[in-house]
Amino acid sequence: QVQLVESGGGLVQPGGSLRLSCAASRIIFGINAMNWYRQAPGKERELVAAITSGGSTNYADSVQGRFTISRDNAKNTVYLQMNSLKLEDTAVYYCNAVGRTPIIGREYSYWGQGTQVTVSS
């Protein structure tokens, strides 16, 4: 079983920046994409950013131009650089890995425990 551990959350003022990290406990074989989701109180979980195994990235319209997803394969870590933070970015941010296991091809979806990001003045 793969464990994903997020870190880097905290309290920041509007306009500030944070960098979230998601470290996997080991190499994840057969991965298709690493994703960052967030869930604000009373709202559904939403996809914020994704990076595929080929390096392509996608962002939610609400964070386009402000957030950047990246990865360091040597460290089994994915990052989410968040700039120009807004009050509405306040949420618990979750890391997610999706793919298929080699040979058998069973789909998997691993989740981290989440890290709180609070944007407040």
Side-chain angles (χ1 to χ4, degrees):
Q1 183 73 3
V2 174
Q3 290 186 327
L4 301 177
V5 180
E6 301 101 332
S7 61
L11 174 64
V12 64
Q13 292 186 338
S17 299
L18 283 174
R19 188 177 81 155
L20 305 183
S21 299
C22 170
S25 58
R26 60 171 175 82
I27 295 174
I28 306 175
F29 295 102
I31 192 166
N32 290 331
M34 293 290 295
N35 307 307
W36 282 100
Y37 284 79
R38 68 184 180 187
Q39 187 167 21
K43 295 187 177 181
E44 293 186 354
R45 190 171 296 189
E46 64 172 343
L47 179 62
V48 174
I51 185 165
T52 69
S53 58
S56 297
T57 58
N58 286 288
Y59 300 93
D61 290 343
S62 59
V63 306
Q64 182 75 45
R66 300 188 297 121
F67 291 10
T68 303
I69 189 171
S70 62
R71 66 186 183 194
D72 184 334
N73 291 334
K75 297 181 178 179
N76 298 327
T77 300
V78 174
Y79 304 97
L80 185 67
Q81 178 66 43
M82 305 185 296
N83 299 328
S84 302
L85 283 162
K86 304 177 180 180
L87 297 176
E88 53 264 40
D89 293 320
T90 295
V92 178
Y93 285 70
Y94 298 90
C95 180
N96 167 248
V98 295
R100 289 182 179 270
T101 58
I103 302 175
I104 297 177
R106 178 175 58 87
E107 292 184 348
Y108 60 77
S109 180
Y110 302 126
W111 290 89
Q113 82 288 351
T115 185
Q116 177 70 48
V117 171
T118 302
V119 184
S120 176
S121 56

